[in-house]
């Protein structure tokens, strides 16, 4: 790690980060205390601190993995388990039900797509949201003097009627609970998606033309915008593209999106 930082082509930036970064302070504290750098120690450090402190630990964790100071591991379940532990400190009465739901329902589904580079943050956020909403729902029902098995459609509808729209994500938990015999078969409508706001045709072509011709824009912005306006790809998928996605086949330049070659039109 030291060799990589010393060889950085922007030493001022690296020095500034070392001097001002919370993650750098954490690394110094760990080394000074003589503690071993392990996944478990860093997880405990993140769980014990604030949300901002946890982000600093996660950044340090990522650096240590990138520089191979820590062995690789399946990061998604570890981060989900840590978030679950945080939630259960506030709702200890729901430990058994929450752990069962996470380990046998959320984690297996999140793992199926966690191998994709752009999917990790989405899958983590997806799991965290469902953990949070399930805990809030169980807490609200407990405050009303009800066990999960006693909750009726009336209580569900009342709970959905107030609060943020993320409450509709409780559908995942309630479907799982009903299938496992923990509660009744309750209905939560799928949260309606807002109508998309689209560019009109003229604005679309003007933006594409700017991406193709405006040399004042950064090249990465121009390329990403061109792929977006030409092929309608999600920004997360564009950001995950590597240089290998560009290829020449049969004397034609193609772009590989999900292993499907798409011929690029001439400039």
């Amino acid at each position: 790690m030291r060799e990589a930082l010393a060889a950085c082509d922007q030493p001022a930036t690296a020095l500034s980060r070392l001097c001002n970064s919370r993650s750098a302070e954490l690394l110094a504290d760990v080394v000074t205390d003589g503690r071993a750098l392990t996944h478990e120690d860093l997880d405990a450090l993140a769980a014990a601190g604030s949300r901002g402190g946890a982000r600093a630990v996660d950044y340090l964790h990522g650096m240590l993995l990138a520089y191979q100071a820590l062995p690789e591991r399946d990061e998604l379940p570890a981060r989900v388990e840590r978030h679950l532990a945080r939630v259960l400190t506030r709702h200890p009465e729901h430990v058994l039900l929450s752990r069962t739901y996470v380990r046998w329902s959320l984690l297996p589904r999140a793992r199926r797509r966690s191998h994709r580079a752009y999917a990790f943050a989405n899958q983590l956020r997806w799991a965290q949201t469902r953990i949070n909403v399930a805990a809030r729902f169980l807490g609200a029902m407990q405050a009303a003097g009800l066990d999960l098995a006693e909750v009726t459609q009336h209580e569900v509808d009342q709970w959905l009627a107030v609060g943020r729209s993320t409450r509709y994500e409780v559908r995942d938990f309630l479907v799982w609970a009903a299938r496992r015999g923990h509660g009744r078969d309750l209905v939560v409508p799928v949260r309606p998606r807002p109508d998309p706001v689209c560019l009109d045709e003229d604005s679309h072509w003007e933006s594409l033309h700017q991406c193709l011709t405006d040399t004042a824009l950064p090249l990465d912005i121009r390329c990403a915008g061109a792929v977006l306006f030409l092929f309608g790809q999600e920004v997360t998928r564009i950001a995950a593209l590597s240089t290998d996605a560009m290829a020449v086949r049969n004397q034609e330049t193609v772009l590989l999106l999900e292993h499907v070659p798409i011929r690029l039109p001439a400039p």
Side-chain angles (χ1 to χ4, degrees):
M1 181 174 176
R2 176 181 176 179
E3 290 172 358
L5 290 171
C8 177
D9 58 359
Q10 294 180 326
T13 301
L15 184 61
S16 174
R17 181 168 295 281
L18 286 172
C19 293
N20 302 310
S21 168
R22 173 62 182 141
S23 57
E25 293 178 16
L26 285 170
L27 179 59
D29 292 341
V30 169
V31 173
T32 302
D33 292 344
R35 284 179 285 173
L37 287 171
T38 66
H39 291 294
E40 292 72 23
D41 287 340
L42 290 172
D43 286 341
L45 193 61
S50 63
R51 182 173 296 181
R55 283 197 293 266
V57 174
D58 288 338
Y59 187 84
L60 173 60
H61 200 174
M63 279 204 306
L64 295 171
L65 283 169
Y67 291 119
Q68 299 178 346
L70 284 176
E72 291 287 343
R73 71 167 177 177
D74 192 352
E75 193 64 26
L76 182 63
R79 295 277 290 276
V80 171
E81 288 279 4
R82 195 178 76 198
H83 182 77
L84 176 63
R86 274 181 179 277
V87 172
L88 291 181
T89 58
R90 301 191 300 269
H91 304 279
E93 64 277 10
H94 306 308
V95 169
L96 181 60
L97 193 59
S98 297
R99 284 197 182 279
T100 306
Y101 168 56
V102 170
R103 289 183 178 176
W104 296 102
S105 181
L106 287 186
L107 275 178
R109 286 179 288 153
R111 278 193 179 109
R112 288 175 199 150
R113 296 182 61 191
S114 63
H115 65 283
R116 301 180 183 179
Y118 64 85
F120 177 84
N122 291 338
Q123 293 304 314
L124 179 60
R125 195 181 309 114
W126 175 86
Q128 289 174 336
T129 298
R130 280 154 180 76
I131 292 170
N132 294 342
V133 172
R136 293 189 193 113
F137 178 80
L138 290 172
M141 295 304 104
Q142 184 181 43
L146 298 171
D147 292 330
L148 182 59
E150 300 171 320
V151 175
T152 68
Q153 189 65 47
H154 176 69
E155 284 81 34
V156 173
D157 292 341
Q158 279 192 322
W159 191 75
L160 292 174
V162 296
R164 301 173 61 181
S165 60
T166 51
R167 288 191 173 196
Y168 282 84
E169 304 298 346
V170 78
R171 180 177 185 272
D172 188 79
F173 171 71
L174 292 179
V175 169
W176 170 84
R179 288 175 177 172
R180 297 298 180 274
H182 299 300
R184 304 181 187 186
D185 192 6
L186 303 169
V187 177
V188 177
V190 177
R191 182 171 53 169
R193 294 179 179 270
D195 292 334
V197 179
C198 300
L199 291 174
D200 60 76
E201 187 173 356
D202 289 341
S203 298
H204 184 114
W205 286 108
E206 287 175 7
S207 299
L208 174 58
H209 184 264
Q210 184 181 17
C211 290
L212 295 175
T213 62
D214 189 350
T215 56
L217 288 176
L219 185 59
D220 56 348
I221 300 298
R222 293 174 61 195
C223 291
V227 174
L228 173 66
F229 290 121
L230 277 171
F231 305 119
Q233 295 297 297
E234 297 176 358
V235 176
T236 50
R237 182 170 293 177
I238 296 172
L241 290 174
S242 67
T243 53
D244 294 338
M246 291 285 290
V248 176
R249 295 187 177 182
N250 299 324
Q251 298 182 338
E252 290 184 334
T253 304
V254 297
L255 179 67
L256 298 174
L257 299 173
E258 290 290 323
H259 310 294
V260 177
I262 299 175
R263 185 177 64 84
L264 296 180

